[in-house]
Amino acid sequence: MKINQNYLDLKESYLFSLVAKKVREYKEQHPEREIIRLGIGDVTLPLVPVVVEAMQRAVLEMGVRETFRGYGEEQGYAFLRQAVCGYYAQKGVQLSDSEVFISDGAKSDLGNILDIFSTDNTVLIPDPVYPVYVDTNIMAGRKIIYVNGTAENGFLPLPDETIKPDIIYLCSPNNPTGAVYNSAQLESWVAYALEHEAVILFDSAYEAFVQDQSLPTSIYQIPGAKECAIEFCSLSKTAGFTGVRCGYTVVPHELVRNQTAINKLWLRRQTTKFNGVSYIVQRGAEAVFSAEGLKQIRANIAYYLENARLIAETLKDLGFWVVGGENSPYIWLKCPDGMNSWQFFDYLLAKAGIVGTPGAGFGANGEGFFRLSAFGDRNDVLEALARLRSL
Ligand code: PLP
C-alpha cells in the first residue's frame, strides 16, 4: 500500500487557524474589548423567504408517497438546470440544459473536474488567488506556473506568451482581491487558451456582485469561450447557500479536446462518482432564479455591497491603496508603512480590535496586502470604520 505522496507536498494551511489562535489570545488578554470580524468569507444574512418556502414545500412532498422522490439525476433535476439556463439567457448566453451540471458547491467541482484531465498537464494559476486551485493540483502532482497579480496590473494578470499552459484558472470577481476582469482582458485570455488548446476553468462564484453593466459576469459572454472554457458557479455567496450547499458547472458541447467532448467525460465522471444534490436543496435553488427570488437575493447582495462601498471609501479617504469593493464583497488593500500582511493583522487587532485576513495566505504576491470582507453586519462595519478613522 502506498499513499499519494503528493499530499506530502501540500503546505500546512495555517491561515485561518493562526487567525483564530491570535484572536483567542487577544480575547484572553482583553476580555472587555469587542472584536469586529471583517475577515470572514462566509455570509451572515439568512436565506430569503422564497427559498425557505420552496424548501418547505419540497420537504412536505418528500413525506407523501405520491410525491416522494428517491435518487435524482446525477447532473441535477431538469427544472433546476433549465432555471440556470434561463439565468444565463438574461446575460445573453444561450445554453442547453445538458451543458449544466448541478453540484453541492463550486469547491467540490473545482477539485473534481481535475479527474478528467491528465496529470501531465501544465497549470497556470494567478497569484494571489483562492487556494483550492493550487492545492487540488498539488494533490495530483501537476506542474503549476503562476502569473503575477500585482498593484501595477490591478491584480488582474494577463496571458504570458512565454508560457504554454494546458489548464488556466481565472477567478473574476476575484477572491481575495475583489478585482474584476473587463471584456477586453477576458478576450485576451480566451484567445490565448484557443491558441494553446488549453482549457480555462473560470470561477464565477461572485458574479452576482457585479454591478457595472459593462463588466462580464460569465466567460461565455466572450466570443469563442464555449470552445475553451468550463465555468463554475455557486449559490453560496449569491443566495446565502454556504450551509445549504448548491452550485453549478457549465461544460459546453463545443468544448472538445483530443477529439473528445469534455461534456461527455464530465457526465461519465459525475454519473460514476456523484449521486446528485438533495431534491429539497434543488427546489430552494430553483426559487433563487425566479423573478421574486432574484429580487430578494439582490436586496441581500445590495446590503453587502453597501458595506463594501463604506469600507473601500473610508480606506481611500485614509490614503490606503485599495482594489475591489465595487463589484465584489472583498476589499484588498496595501498594508501601510511597509508592514507585511501579518504585521498589519497584529496591528489592526491590537489597536482597533478588528480582524481581517492577511493577504500572504493567498499566495506570494499577497504579501504586504490585506483582505477585508463585506459580509458582516452594518453596525459592526460602521464601528470598525470609526475605529480605523480614530487610529
Ligand atoms: N470559489 C471561490 C473563489 C470562493 O471564494 C469560494 C468560497 O469561498 C468557492 C469557490 C467555493 O464555494 P462553495 O461554497 O460553492 O463550495
Side-chain angles (χ1 to χ4, degrees):
M1 206 297 291
K2 293 189 185 113
I3 61 157
N4 178 350
Q5 291 282 334
N6 296 321
Y7 274 65
L8 306 183
D9 295 334
L10 291 166
K11 279 207 211 96
E12 207 54 58
S13 163
Y14 63 90
L15 177 66
F16 289 101
S17 54
L18 189 53
V19 166
K21 180 170 170 277
K22 282 175 178 272
V23 173
R24 215 171 34 243
E25 285 169 1
Y26 179 83
K27 269 195 131 158
E28 279 161 17
Q29 287 154 15
H30 308 273
E32 75 300 339
R33 187 83 158 127
E34 197 214 327
I35 289 177
I36 301 177
R37 291 170 196 275
L38 294 185
I40 48 166
D42 198 353
V43 291
T44 52
L45 292 173
L47 295 173
V48 296
V50 280
V51 167
V52 175
E53 288 152 18
M55 290 204 285
Q56 283 172 329
R57 279 195 303 275
V59 169
L60 294 177
E61 281 179 48
M62 294 296 269
V64 175
R65 180 186 283 268
E66 287 72 27
T67 49
F68 167 76
R69 307 212 186 197
Y71 290 121
E73 281 182 279
E74 292 90 345
Q75 64 271 43
Y77 284 103
F79 64 74
L80 179 52
R81 287 185 284 119
Q82 282 158 10
V84 172
C85 291
Y87 183 61
Y88 272 88
Q90 292 169 32
K91 300 171 185 261
V93 173
Q94 303 309 321
L95 296 176
S96 100
D97 60 6
S98 57
E99 294 175 305
V100 177
F101 295 81
I102 305 305
S103 70
D104 63 352
K107 191 184 202 176
S108 315
D109 274 9
L110 281 161
N112 293 336
I113 197 79
L114 296 173
D115 263 19
I116 63 171
F117 299 124
S118 163
T119 50
D120 297 344
N121 288 309
T122 297
V123 182
L124 192 74
I125 304 183
D127 174 340
V129 89
Y130 182 53
V132 169
Y133 314 151
V134 172
D135 284 353
T136 50
N137 280 289
I138 290 176
M139 287 171 179
R142 274 190 202 85
K143 181 177 170 200
I144 299 174
I145 299 176
Y146 296 95
V147 276
N148 297 321
T150 60
E152 289 67 43
N153 61 27
F155 287 92
L156 293 168
L158 289 173
D160 179 342
E161 289 300 340
T162 65
I163 305 168
K164 300 205 181 318
D166 302 304
I167 297 171
I168 301 165
Y169 284 83
L170 295 177
C171 179
S172 179
N174 186 276
N175 178 11
T177 69
V180 187
Y181 279 114
N182 65 29
S183 297
Q185 290 166 328
L186 283 187
E187 276 162 23
S188 69
W189 278 112
V190 166
Y192 177 68
L194 291 171
E195 179 193 339
H196 295 294
E197 293 187 33
V199 172
I200 295 174
L201 304 181
F202 189 79
D203 185 345
S204 62
Y206 297 93
E207 59 83 29
F209 288 80
V210 173
Q211 302 298 298
D212 179 342
Q213 304 270 326
S214 74
L215 293 172
T217 55
S218 163
I219 187 111
Y220 304 121
Q221 290 166 328
I222 308 301
K226 284 190 177 175
E227 283 99 71
C228 67
I230 298 174
E231 184 158 295
F232 301 84
C233 199
S234 167
L235 296 184
S236 283
K237 309 299 158 70
T238 303
F241 271 49
T242 50
V244 176
R245 312 301 307 145
C246 195
Y248 47 91
T249 298
V250 179
V251 189
H253 292 304
E254 289 92 326
L255 181 57
V256 176
R257 292 293 179 271
N258 309 144
Q259 295 86 48
T260 307
I262 301 295
N263 180 288
K264 242 180 127 177
L265 279 191
W266 180 239
L267 180 63
R268 188 72 175 86
R269 191 269 171 208
Q270 288 300 78
T271 50
T272 303
K273 293 197 184 180
F274 186 55
N275 248 344
V277 175
S278 130
Y279 172 68
I280 298 158
V281 167
Q282 292 194 57
R283 280 296 184 197
E286 179 193 26
V288 169
F289 297 110
S290 65
E292 184 55 28
L294 290 173
K295 198 171 132 205
Q296 292 182 4
I297 60 145
R298 282 174 184 151
N300 284 1
I301 289 169
Y303 177 90
Y304 294 135
L305 282 172
E306 178 60 9
N307 284 347
R309 190 189 69 76
L310 290 166
I311 298 169
E313 297 229 323
T314 302
L315 290 170
K316 283 181 199 162
D317 248 22
L318 294 172
F320 281 87
W321 183 95
V322 173
V323 284
E326 284 172 353
N327 297 286
S328 146
Y330 296 123
I331 298 98
W332 183 249
L333 59 104
K334 190 165 167 33
C335 302
D337 303 330
M339 276 190 250
N340 72 30
S341 299
W342 281 105
Q343 284 168 338
F344 188 58
F345 175 91
D346 291 336
Y347 172 82
L348 262 194
L349 181 59
K351 302 280 184 199
I354 297 172
V355 180
T357 312
F362 298 96
N365 288 312
E367 183 55 279
F369 290 85
F370 204 74
R371 189 191 79 174
L372 294 178
S373 129
F375 285 124
D377 180 82
R378 176 70 45 78
N379 289 330
D380 288 347
V381 168
L382 292 173
E383 169 64 21
L385 296 179
R387 290 186 194 177
L388 270 181
R389 279 192 186 278
S390 66
L391 254 188

